[in-house]
Amino acid sequence: MPTNRCTAACKHCGTLSSPRATDSLTSEQIHAAIREGADLGIRIAVFTGGEPTLALDILLSSIDLAASLGMLTRVVTNCHWAMGDEISLATLRSLREAGLTEINFSTGDQHTRFVPIIRVLRAIRAALKFDYSPAVMVEMIEGCNVSRETVEQHPYYRETLSLFPNQMVTITESPWMPLNTKRRHEYPPGVAVDNNNVAARRGCDSVLQTLTVQADGKMGACCGLGLSLIPELNLGQIGRIPMADAIRTAEEDLLKRWIRAEGPERIIAWAAGHDESISWEGMYAHRCQACLRLYKDEAIRKVIRERYMEKIPDVLFTEWLIHEMRTPSSDAAPLHKKVSKKNGC
């Protein structure tokens, strides 16, 4: 996260970003982290924020370094810069020349308060001109004005598809997450977790699979929204402790491994089975909000403290399955190249 500053000030921003945010990393910090990560076998460097293009020179030099070390690179942006065709093309050209391999765009009701949807559509067209297959994430909430259909039916987008008929754009919807663990948003039917669908929820593919260097220099054990609000997910300051030590510390934490194995929703449901005062059904569509609840709710923490031993066999068996099914290109592989016997894998 090169900077926590953003051109938008979305309500409930999961990274606490805004135009007023001041945390940022130096190029020296980012470059050192990339080199350290490459040495550990981390395969992809993702630049997000905040809005990473607000630190464009640092962003471009960091992409160039990561690419030179054989890493894939991705940028996640709100497309504020796509104010016209020429600047859109110039921005994508600079990213391509630096070695960027993937680009993701964010939009939705909150984002379009600050970044008009046409800028995202211009960015899509520019990306296709440089042979990217952009991914667009649209915020989802009941009654939203901006949806996947809004993008797909926009005349500019339809014209873009006719100009690039053989190239792909991926548009997905993701629930918009309040940072208050008890607050409910209304989502389309079946989106929020309940007893009818909780068994189908999978383990978290972010915790222990992603190491985030946040704009304030803290290393986090996932890329989740609300990460900065959960002290237990933060592993120390970049440059003060080796990245390998931070990863090792995270991998020795049973709760993180349990979240990776089953996901926070299933852990909350399990805890509720032992304490009827824990309400959860229909409350969580975004799993990061469930994870925030998991760490912040003392009733849930109490059940975990008292009964975690009975879940160890399930966690270890799931880790064995992950290890056996892993391939060199699989996203299920841990951050470390090596699998520690001490961690039950």
Side-chain angles (χ1 to χ4, degrees), residues 81-131:
W81 39 266
M83 293 174 285
D85 293 340
E86 288 188 11
I87 192 170
S88 299
L89 289 171
T91 302
L92 265 295
R93 182 180 293 107
S94 65
L95 291 168
R96 170 63 84 187
E97 291 175 351
L100 186 70
T101 49
E102 303 173 10
I103 192 160
N104 291 8
F105 304 137
S106 303
T107 190
D109 278 22
Q110 284 293 323
H111 281 82
T112 52
R113 292 168 55 215
F114 307 95
V115 183
I117 190 70
I118 188 61
R119 297 193 187 184
V120 178
L121 301 177
R122 283 197 201 103
I124 291 172
R125 184 175 294 190
L128 292 175
K129 286 186 177 181
F130 284 95
D131 295 322

Side-chain angles (χ1 to χ4, degrees), residues 15-199:
T15 58
L16 307 180
S17 301
S18 77
R20 298 176 300 280
T22 58
D23 287 332
S24 61
L25 296 168
T26 65
S27 59
E28 290 77 15
Q29 287 175 307
I30 298 175
H31 292 180
I34 289 171
R35 291 190 180 94
E36 202 170 352
D39 287 343
L40 291 171
I42 294 176
R43 296 182 296 271
I44 181 166
V46 181
F47 301 91
T48 179
E51 172 53 43
T53 61
L54 293 178
L56 188 59
D57 290 343
I58 291 176
L59 175 64
L60 294 175
S61 68
S62 301
I63 292 170
D64 180 74
L65 174 62
S68 72
L69 295 173
M71 302 173 80
L72 299 174
T73 55
R74 180 190 304 146
V75 163
V76 182
T77 173
N78 66 19
C79 308
H80 72 98
W81 39 266
M83 293 174 285
D85 293 340
E86 288 188 11
I87 192 170
S88 299
L89 289 171
T91 302
L92 265 295
R93 182 180 293 107
S94 65
L95 291 168
R96 170 63 84 187
E97 291 175 351
L100 186 70
T101 49
E102 303 173 10
I103 192 160
N104 291 8
F105 304 137
S106 303
T107 190
D109 278 22
Q110 284 293 323
H111 281 82
T112 52
R113 292 168 55 215
F114 307 95
V115 183
I117 190 70
I118 188 61
R119 297 193 187 184
V120 178
L121 301 177
R122 283 197 201 103
I124 291 172
R125 184 175 294 190
L128 292 175
K129 286 186 177 181
F130 284 95
D131 295 322
Y132 287 109
S133 297
V136 183
M137 193 286 288
V138 185
E139 308 153 16
M140 177 176 60
I141 194 170
E142 186 71 21
C144 60
N145 294 313
V146 179
S147 65
R148 179 170 62 187
E149 185 178 7
T150 305
V151 177
E152 292 175 338
Q153 298 304 317
H154 196 287
Y156 189 96
Y157 179 75
R158 294 167 71 89
E159 181 184 61
T160 296
L161 293 187
S162 69
L163 294 172
F164 301 92
N166 299 318
Q167 290 175 253
M168 185 174 69
V169 180
T170 303
I171 303 174
T172 58
E173 293 179 317
S174 178
W176 186 246
M177 169 191 153
L179 289 177
N180 185 324
T181 60
K182 300 295 179 67
R183 179 168 180 169
R184 297 186 186 214
H185 277 336
E186 294 300 320
Y187 300 101
V191 174
V193 66
D194 56 30
N195 262 321
N196 295 318
N197 59 29
V198 67

Side-chain angles (χ1 to χ4, degrees), residues 265-330:
E265 304 95 332
R266 287 167 61 187
I267 299 175
I268 291 175
W270 169 84
H274 297 288
D275 182 345
E276 294 181 355
S277 72
I278 298 171
S279 60
W280 61 279
E281 289 197 73
M283 294 180 68
Y284 304 115
H286 200 298
R287 67 183 345 177
C288 291
Q289 188 185 16
C291 194
L292 192 59
R293 167 82 182 280
L294 176 65
Y295 276 100
K296 296 294 185 181
D297 190 305
E298 184 52 40
I300 296 173
R301 293 168 66 99
K302 183 174 183 291
V303 174
I304 291 172
R305 281 196 303 269
E306 293 176 352
R307 308 185 68 104
Y308 73 92
M309 289 288 292
E310 62 193 60
K311 292 298 299 183
I312 289 178
D314 293 336
V315 173
L316 294 180
F317 179 66
T318 301
E319 290 183 337
W320 176 81
L321 287 176
I322 291 172
H323 179 253
E324 289 300 304
M325 295 171 65
R326 193 175 72 235
T327 64
S329 61
S330 171

